[in-house]
Amino acid sequence: SVIIIGAGLSGLTSAEKILKACPSSKVTVLESMPAPGGRTRSVNVNGVKYDLGAQWVGPPQKYILALAKRAKHEMITQNFEGKKII
């Protein structure tokens, strides 16, 4: 049996690797927030979505992109045009 503290990318990757290596393992992931994601989490404030952490990934980060795809994280293409207004 294994307990993993945190359902961020590291915690989820750890759980996935343990279960892949030993499918009969009992893995429990503990998370203090209402949803997994850790620093990739976004919040909605008055109808506007704000990212709270390490939200940008690119082609060189193939492992993070693969994990995000397996976890069915919503991916949004970065807008490079216009002005940033908050």
Side-chain angles (χ1 to χ4, degrees), residues 26-70:
K26 180 180 178 187
V27 178
T28 301
V29 180
L30 302 177
E31 175 56 52
S32 64
M33 300 303 292
R39 290 184 43 95
T40 61
R41 197 169 64 87
S42 299
V43 294
N44 194 322
V45 178
N46 297 325
V48 178
K49 188 181 255 186
Y50 292 94
D51 294 314
L52 297 181
Q55 63 271 19
W56 286 284
V57 296
Q61 297 161 308
K62 62 184 180 180
Y63 298 111
I64 295 292
L65 289 169
L67 175 63
K69 184 176 181 179
R70 288 192 306 276

Side-chain angles (χ1 to χ4, degrees), residues 70-82:
R70 288 192 306 276
K72 298 182 176 138
H73 276 291
E74 178 185 8
M75 303 296 280
I76 300 170
T77 302
Q78 175 68 43
N79 179 16
F80 292 102
E81 297 180 17

